[in-house]
């Protein structure tokens, strides 16, 4: 089965009745009907877009098995929402919200480390899409086409750019994951690469990194200890970013030379990744890899419902 | 947001430390330049005068002086102003901090609390040598604390105590001091708190002699006092562009070239920037419009870019996900009505409402070009060189 989410995923949406949730939950709702309920402590709203609203996760998990939750809750209340999902052992927690205070993220990370049922994707992510099966997030659906290439990225808009580039070159995608653009996020590259490694539907992986933090270095040490059979093409954004300046979202700051794009490319190259400096070289690299593979499907037909 | 605005000034931190019963030097008062010139501040015993600017090594750059009389006060304040001018700090001096000089002998140490992003823990770093000696003899002891585990804090405190060779009689006082600072660090959502130095006097008092702090901008919604300080601090920044950036909360990095690189999303903006540099272009402004930006924010960004005389080309790369391309083009249309401008605006639109938006702008303005191929668009951008 596909990584993290698929056509059988049963999801809820926290913050569905709020300003962000009201507008942006529509994309995920309409994609493949994976969301069966919303969560909102507001007692007045009982149903929105034909979806029932429960006041707490406990109330719905009593009668339904829930695999995932999509969170649109605003920053001031996000910690409470994520901790509630962890307490209720929801396996996949996807938090779209940008701007959660750092102190709250420290508490959330502390709670995540004490258990092994839930993983957090985000915050500050456009979510996850398994093409033609499940969308939990805000990615525009029509740029994706089904295939064998997995994408994992810190930047949201670069997922769109790479996916569109691949689709135009008649190369389809399996699952695309935004791990988030904040300085402290729930899941690093390592775990996602492990998932892709076990996923029969993914044959090539594209990794989009950027300046700041040490997630790329963490992946490099992981790859040196664990053999990954699938080729990883890595692109690191921010080669020309000045030091110590925040280039957009909060995670994109290179505080010293260790956190620059050049350094990350070096570490990933040493660990066996194929490095591209220009994002438009990605389809060419993939063509080179495909020539060596005998059973690679460029695009796949949508699965039968 | 950017480092230069998430700082707190020394007197602001000391005001807050005092509220939490953490000792600071006595008789702390702020003096405005005018007060000193008009002889409103009276000095009759040894004091220390410090320029309130968010800069490092103030002692070394002559921004801190020791004074014992009114005459010395006037000379010292003038000398400090000269030094600020001499070293060209991009800040305007508003206050001096004057406090009593601690003349009781004691040991000065260094302590710094910060958020270790990679480990998702709070890092406490101490050095036996404090004050100006820190950089020369830096022998740091670093420990990490899990925010939800009090035990990890106590373990850190014993490690720190032995590194600083704390006397047995002082162990409990020192432990309480560290716990107070830790709680203070968390209470105000700080990203960094540096006490350099704190002094442990012969009389067994622990006093914070200096303080530096950085704030988490995401937490401002629940920090009314810090928000108030931040608004005051924006006024001491000299360059107008920083004031505009901070007042309007925009992700804008000013640089030295002639091309503005604008996109909705940090990664997209950075990769566009990298392509511009590869093609030989020089960036004068890096802007991330972000997902949920209002029309007002977008128009402010374009006002800033069009009124910047260094910028003669804007590269706009929009991939609409949350953000609709229509919002962008409508905002640009609005602004171009106010500006009779020669700035070239090169636009690439994708995603939500891309096709619809092109028709709102296309034939009306000669300086606007739509191009779907980004490499081609950037080639066009680099043709118009710096004025």
């Amino acid at each position: 089965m596909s990584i993290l989410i698929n056509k059988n995923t049963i999801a809820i949406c926290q913050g569905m009745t709020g300003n962000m949730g009201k507008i942006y939950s529509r994309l995920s709702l309409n994609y493949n009907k994976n969301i069966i309920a919303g969560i909102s402590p507001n007692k007045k709203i009982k149903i929105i877009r034909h979806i029932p609203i429960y006041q707490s996760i406990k109330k719905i998990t009593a009668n339904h098995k829930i695999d995932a939750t999509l969170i649109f809750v605003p920053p001031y209340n996000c910690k409470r929402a994520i901790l509630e999902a962890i307490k209720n052992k929801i396996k996949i927690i996807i938090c779209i919200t940008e701007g959660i205070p750092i102190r709250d993220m420290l508490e959330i990370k502390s709670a995540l480390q004490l258990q092994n049922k839930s993983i957090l994707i985000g915050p500050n992510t456009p979510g996850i899409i398994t093409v033609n099966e499940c969308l939990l997030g805000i990615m525009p659906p029509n740029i994706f086409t089904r295939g064998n290439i997995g994408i994992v990225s810190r930047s949201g808009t670069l997922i769109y750019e790479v996916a569109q580039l691949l689709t135009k070159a008649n190369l389809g995608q399996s699952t695309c994951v935004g791990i988030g653009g904040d300085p402290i996020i729930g899941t690093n590259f390592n775990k996602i690469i492990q998932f892709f490694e076990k996923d029969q539907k993914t044959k090539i992986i594209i990794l989009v990194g950027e300046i700041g933090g040490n997630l790329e270095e963490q992946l490099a040490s992981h790859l040196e200890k664990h053999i990954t059979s699938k080729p990883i093409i890595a692109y690191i954004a921010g080669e020309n970013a000045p030091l110590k300046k925040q280039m957009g979202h909060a995670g994109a700051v290179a505080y010293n030379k260790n956190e620059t794009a050049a350094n990350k490319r070096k570490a990933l190259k040493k660990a066996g990744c194929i490095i591209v400096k220009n994002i438009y070289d990605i389809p060419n690299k993939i063509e080179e890899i495909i020539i060596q593979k005998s059973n690679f499907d460029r695009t796949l037909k949508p699965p039968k419902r | 947001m950017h480092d230069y605005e998430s700082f707190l000034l020394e007197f602001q931190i000391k005001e807050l430390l005092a509220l939490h019963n953490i000792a600071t030097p006595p008789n702390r008062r702020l003096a405005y330049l005018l007060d000193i010139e008009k002889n409103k501040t009276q000095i009759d015993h040894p004091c220390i005068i410090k320029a309130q600017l968010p800069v490092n090594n103030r002692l070394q750059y002559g921004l801190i002086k020791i004074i014992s009389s009114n005459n010395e006060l006037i000379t010292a304040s003038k000398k400090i102003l000269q030094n600020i001018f001499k070293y060209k700090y991009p800040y305007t001096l508003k206050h001096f901090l004057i406090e009593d000089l601690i003349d009781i002998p004691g040991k000065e140490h260094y302590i710094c609390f910060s958020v270790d992003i990679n480990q998702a823990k709070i890092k406490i770093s101490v050095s036996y040598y404090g004050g100006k000696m820190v950089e020369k003899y830096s022998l740091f002891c670093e420990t990490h604390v899990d925010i939800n585990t009090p035990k990890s804090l106590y373990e850190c405190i014993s490690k720190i105590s032995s590194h600083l060779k704390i006397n047995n009689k002082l162990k409990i006082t020192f432990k309480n001091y560290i716990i107070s600072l830790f709680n203070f660090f968390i209470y105000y959502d700080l990203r960094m708190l540096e006490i350099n130095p704190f002094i442990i006097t012969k009389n067994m008092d622990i006093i914070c002699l200096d303080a530096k702090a950085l704030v988490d901008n995401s937490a401002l919604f629940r920090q009314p006092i810090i928000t108030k300080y931040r608004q005051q601090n924006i006024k001491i920044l000299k360059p107008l562009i920083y004031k505009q950036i901070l007042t309007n909360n925009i992700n804008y990095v000013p640089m030295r070239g002639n091309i503005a690189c604008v996109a909705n999303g940090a990664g997209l903006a950075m990769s566009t920037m990298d392509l511009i540099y590869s093609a030989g272009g020089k960036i004068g402004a890096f802007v991330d419009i972000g997902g949920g930006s209002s029309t007002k924010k977008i128009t402010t960004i374009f006002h800033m870019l069009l009124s910047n005389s260094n910028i003669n080309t804007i590269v706009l790369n929009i991939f609409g996900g949350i953000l609709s391309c229509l919002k962008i083009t409508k905002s640009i249309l609005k602004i171009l009505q106010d500006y009779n401008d020669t700035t070239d605006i090169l636009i690439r639109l994708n995603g939500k409402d891309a096709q619809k938006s092109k028709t709102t702008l296309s034939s009306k303005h000669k300086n606007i070009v739509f191009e779907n191929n980004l490499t081609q668009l950037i080639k066009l951008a680099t043709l118009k060189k710096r004025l």
Side-chain angles (χ1 to χ4, degrees):
Chain A
M1 278 269 108
S2 326
I3 79 164
L4 295 167
I5 60 175
N6 57 56
K7 61 181 188 280
N8 301 320
T9 300
I10 299 173
I12 54 176
C13 181
Q14 290 171 266
M16 194 164 142
T17 59
N19 290 330
M20 289 289 281
K22 263 192 289 201
I23 306 171
Y24 300 116
S25 60
R26 204 195 312 172
L27 276 170
S28 308
L29 281 171
N30 292 340
Y31 195 68
N32 204 17
K33 315 267 185 254
N34 299 81
I35 297 178
I36 65 164
I39 310 288
S40 169
N42 182 350
K43 294 177 189 174
K44 289 183 187 174
I45 304 174
K46 292 192 179 156
I47 192 159
I48 193 170
R49 300 189 202 285
H50 311 292
I51 305 286
I53 306 295
Y54 289 73
Q55 275 147 44
S56 68
I57 298 183
K58 205 172 181 183
K59 293 198 171 169
I60 188 173
T61 50
N63 297 320
H64 296 87
K65 185 176 183 298
I66 304 294
D67 305 310
T69 174
L70 176 62
I71 300 181
F72 284 110
V73 177
Y76 67 86
N77 219 3
C78 231
K79 179 183 89 173
R80 192 202 52 80
I82 295 175
L83 290 177
E84 184 186 354
I86 295 172
K87 192 172 180 190
N88 283 283
K89 301 186 181 160
I90 308 291
K91 280 184 291 194
I92 299 170
I93 306 170
I94 302 171
C95 183
I96 308 296
T97 311
E98 177 174 15
I100 298 181
I102 292 178
R103 187 216 308 173
D104 288 3
M105 276 315 298
L106 290 178
E107 294 186 39
I108 291 167
K109 288 288 281 190
S110 186
L112 283 169
Q113 276 159 21
L114 289 174
Q115 53 86 58
N116 59 0
K117 297 278 193 279
S118 310
I119 71 165
L120 169 66
I121 302 290
N124 190 9
T125 171
I128 310 176
I129 185 170
T130 292
V131 187
N132 293 335
E133 292 194 39
C134 184
L135 164 65
L136 288 178
I138 54 166
M139 307 205 211
N142 16 11
I143 59 179
F144 300 94
T145 190
R146 191 173 166 82
N148 288 328
I149 302 171
I151 305 178
V152 58
S153 167
R154 281 168 64 187
S155 153
T157 40
L158 278 180
I159 297 181
Y160 310 164
E161 187 72 29
V162 173
Q164 186 184 61
L165 192 62
L166 293 177
T167 300
K168 283 189 174 165
N170 202 30
L171 294 162
Q173 306 91 43
S174 55
T175 303
C176 302
V177 185
I179 58 173
D182 272 3
I184 302 179
I185 52 174
T187 306
N188 63 8
F189 283 126
N190 306 12
K191 224 168 188 170
I192 309 293
I193 299 289
Q194 276 180 312
F195 286 138
F196 275 135
E197 179 66 14
K198 292 181 197 160
D199 176 30
Q200 288 173 335
K201 294 185 177 177
T202 302
K203 299 198 175 156
I204 301 177
I205 303 164
I206 299 177
L207 186 139
V208 181
E210 57 191 44
I211 55 167
N214 72 349
L215 291 180
E216 290 79 6
E217 286 79 359
Q218 281 184 26
L219 178 65
S221 13
H222 171 89
L223 292 174
E224 280 165 16
K225 293 175 199 162
H226 300 87
I227 300 167
T228 314
S229 63
K230 303 181 184 177
I232 302 175
I233 301 175
Y235 167 74
I236 311 291
E239 166 152 36
N240 299 291
L243 282 180
K244 296 190 189 179
K245 297 284 184 200
Q246 182 175 317
M247 308 301 282
H249 52 220
V253 191
Y255 283 110
N256 52 52
K257 285 196 177 158
N258 290 336
E259 298 187 355
T260 56
N263 216 54
K264 287 163 188 297
R265 276 201 297 267
K266 197 172 161 191
L268 289 175
K269 188 171 188 179
K270 194 176 169 210
C273 295
I274 302 163
I275 306 294
V276 292
K277 269 194 171 185
N278 183 330
I279 211 166
Y280 298 106
D281 286 339
I282 291 177
N284 293 335
K285 290 285 176 186
I286 295 179
E287 300 289 354
E288 286 173 28
I289 296 170
I290 293 176
I291 289 172
Q292 297 167 9
K293 279 184 185 285
S294 53
N295 61 343
F296 186 87
D297 295 310
R298 295 179 74 91
T299 55
L300 295 168
K301 286 180 189 166
K304 289 179 187 171
R305 297 269 171 106
Chain B
M1 287 294 113
H2 308 264
D3 259 355
Y4 43 70
E5 49 83 45
S6 50
F7 61 82
L8 287 176
L9 292 171
E10 181 190 1
F11 77 89
Q12 293 165 339
I13 309 170
K14 283 182 170 170
E15 271 172 19
L16 296 176
L17 287 169
L19 281 178
H20 292 255
N21 289 322
I22 300 172
T24 54
N27 275 330
R28 177 180 59 252
R29 50 214 188 275
L30 282 181
Y32 297 88
L33 282 169
L34 285 174
D35 291 346
I36 294 175
E37 284 167 25
K38 290 182 184 177
N39 260 322
K40 279 187 180 174
T41 333
Q42 297 296 320
I43 305 290
D44 52 9
H45 56 270
C47 289
I48 187 164
I49 178 172
K50 303 166 136 186
Q52 296 300 281
L53 297 178
V55 300
N56 293 328
N57 304 326
R58 282 177 301 168
L59 190 64
Q60 190 183 336
Y61 288 99
L63 304 178
I64 294 178
K65 304 268 180 215
I66 296 173
I67 50 178
S68 326
S69 71
N70 281 334
N71 286 335
E72 286 185 27
L73 170 64
I74 295 171
T75 339
S77 61
K78 286 189 180 165
K79 195 69 214 269
I80 291 175
L81 277 172
Q82 276 176 14
N83 286 330
I84 293 174
F85 186 70
K86 178 179 171 189
Y87 295 109
K88 298 181 187 172
Y89 289 112
Y91 303 103
T92 316
L93 182 71
K94 285 216 165 205
H95 309 104
F96 288 103
L97 172 64
I98 301 177
E99 48 191 24
D100 284 357
L101 188 67
I102 307 275
D103 51 6
I104 314 165
K107 284 191 192 156
E108 293 184 358
H109 305 294
Y110 166 99
I111 187 166
C112 180
F113 293 79
S114 59
V115 176
D116 184 331
I117 282 163
N118 297 331
Q119 290 194 37
K121 295 205 170 136
I122 296 171
K123 181 166 92 171
I124 308 179
S125 182
V126 292
S127 167
Y128 186 79
Y129 296 103
K132 62 184 176 184
M133 310 280 257
V134 165
E135 275 148 51
K136 228 181 178 181
Y137 300 100
S138 40
L139 202 77
F140 292 101
C141 168
E142 287 178 0
T143 55
H144 290 87
V145 180
D146 180 308
I147 197 170
N148 281 336
T149 318
K151 188 182 170 197
S152 63
L153 177 59
Y154 297 128
E155 284 169 1
C156 289
I157 294 177
S158 17
K159 208 174 168 192
I160 295 171
S161 297
S162 52
H163 185 87
L164 296 181
K165 303 177 197 173
I166 302 291
N167 198 317
N168 277 327
K169 293 185 223 168
L170 266 171
K171 285 231 155 106
I172 294 178
T173 319
F174 182 72
K175 182 177 92 168
N176 291 334
Y177 174 70
I178 302 294
I179 293 174
S180 307
L181 281 180
F182 182 82
N183 289 334
F184 179 89
F185 178 81
I186 291 180
Y187 186 85
Y188 289 107
D189 278 305
L190 299 180
R191 269 174 35 216
M192 188 276 287
L193 174 68
E194 184 185 80
I195 308 290
N196 181 32
F198 66 93
I199 185 168
I200 304 181
T201 66
K202 246 185 173 180
N203 302 339
M204 301 216 289
D205 294 317
I206 308 182
I207 307 173
C208 300
L209 296 183
D210 192 1
K212 279 207 193 80
L214 291 177
V215 173
D216 176 16
N217 290 302
S218 313
L220 289 176
F221 67 81
R222 61 186 184 202
Q223 295 289 353
I225 304 177
I226 306 285
T227 306
K228 188 184 79 182
Y229 285 153
R230 179 180 181 265
Q231 280 166 354
Q232 289 173 11
N233 293 346
I234 290 178
K235 295 179 190 168
I236 75 167
L237 296 170
K238 256 194 182 152
L240 177 64
I241 197 160
Y242 291 157
K243 289 191 194 187
Q244 289 175 311
I245 291 170
L246 302 179
T247 322
N248 295 307
N249 255 341
I250 304 174
N251 279 328
Y252 182 127
V253 181
M255 296 203 259
R256 291 201 184 154
N258 65 309
I259 303 175
C261 174
V262 186
N264 67 314
L268 193 63
M270 283 194 280
S271 80
T272 311
M273 170 180 74
D274 292 342
L275 288 168
I276 294 175
Y277 272 104
S278 297
K282 294 273 172 356
I283 308 255
F286 174 96
V287 186
D288 172 12
I289 292 181
S293 288
S294 62
T295 316
K296 189 183 173 197
K297 207 175 200 175
I298 299 171
T299 45
T300 312
I301 290 171
F302 276 92
H303 271 300
M304 286 169 69
L305 293 174
L306 292 174
S307 56
N308 185 337
S309 51
N310 291 332
I311 307 283
N312 60 10
T313 313
I314 300 177
V315 168
L316 182 61
N317 188 1
I318 302 289
F319 208 125
I322 269 190
L323 183 70
S324 163
C325 296
L326 272 174
K327 210 175 197 175
I328 303 278
T329 49
K330 281 182 180 171
S331 310
I332 298 178
L333 195 63
K334 214 176 177 184
I335 294 160
L336 288 178
Q337 290 166 355
D338 300 332
Y339 279 86
N340 184 14
D341 210 64
T342 54
T343 309
D344 285 335
I345 307 182
L346 305 164
I347 310 179
R348 179 188 182 245
L349 295 176
N350 263 311
K352 193 175 182 188
D353 302 323
Q355 276 307 113
K356 261 192 239 172
S357 332
K358 284 178 194 170
T359 54
T360 58
L361 271 177
S362 47
S363 52
K364 295 184 185 173
H365 303 272
K366 55 178 167 67
N367 291 328
I368 294 185
V369 175
F370 285 98
E371 172 59 68
N372 266 339
N373 183 320
L374 188 63
T375 317
Q376 200 54 31
L377 188 142
I378 288 172
K379 222 177 190 176
L380 287 172
T382 52
L383 286 175
K384 191 172 189 180
K385 285 187 186 159
R386 213 174 164 166
L387 294 164

